[in-house]
Amino acid sequence: MWATIVRMADPGDSYPLPDPKLRAYDHGLGTLSLDGELRGYLASVVRRMTFPSKAPWPWFRVIWLDGRMEPSFEDYGPGWWTVRELDAGTLDYNGPSIDKERRVLGVRFRYSVPGDDCAFDFAWLDREAAAAKWNELGLRDEDF
């Protein structure tokens, strides 16, 4: 089971978006590296919130080099926690999920747990390279 961490907004925690429309995030894709070694990719799409405004609503998905995908996650203002990390060239996330199995009363349950905490270096691919990698990875908007 996945736990969602909710950061409580503090009025001083707002982040002014350099691009209020988050153009780089719409069908964007960037690299996730540790110590200079490519470990995976972060893909993103931008949707629009319907309430309370038409604010941008970015969704993200980590894809590891072996093709496994982590569950999608979102970001929004005023804190923009993920966006501010990516704008700074980093992403605090977990390593690849670990598949586990447990038997309870003879019934087998399979589940995943997040990998170790990691501080990845992040860099956007240019639009052409991102589009080609989206195609290669078989990503679709519905994946978010």
Side-chain angles (χ1 to χ4, degrees), residues 17-90:
L17 295 173
D19 175 8
K21 293 188 179 188
L22 296 173
R23 287 180 198 96
Y25 292 81
D26 197 18
H27 296 92
L29 193 119
T31 58
L32 297 172
S33 303
L34 279 176
D35 301 321
E37 182 182 332
L38 179 65
R39 298 294 178 95
Y41 299 96
L42 180 73
S44 60
V45 295
V46 177
R47 297 184 176 141
R48 296 278 165 222
M49 290 188 163
T50 56
F51 182 81
S53 68
K54 297 285 185 194
W57 189 18
W59 283 80
F60 302 94
R61 191 122 199 219
V62 171
I63 303 98
W64 303 114
L65 294 180
D66 64 7
R68 287 182 298 147
M69 288 191 233
E70 298 292 337
S72 59
F73 61 98
E74 63 185 309
D75 195 14
Y76 48 87
W80 298 106
W81 300 105
T82 301
V83 169
R84 75 169 67 193
E85 282 185 57
L86 298 176
D87 285 350
T90 64

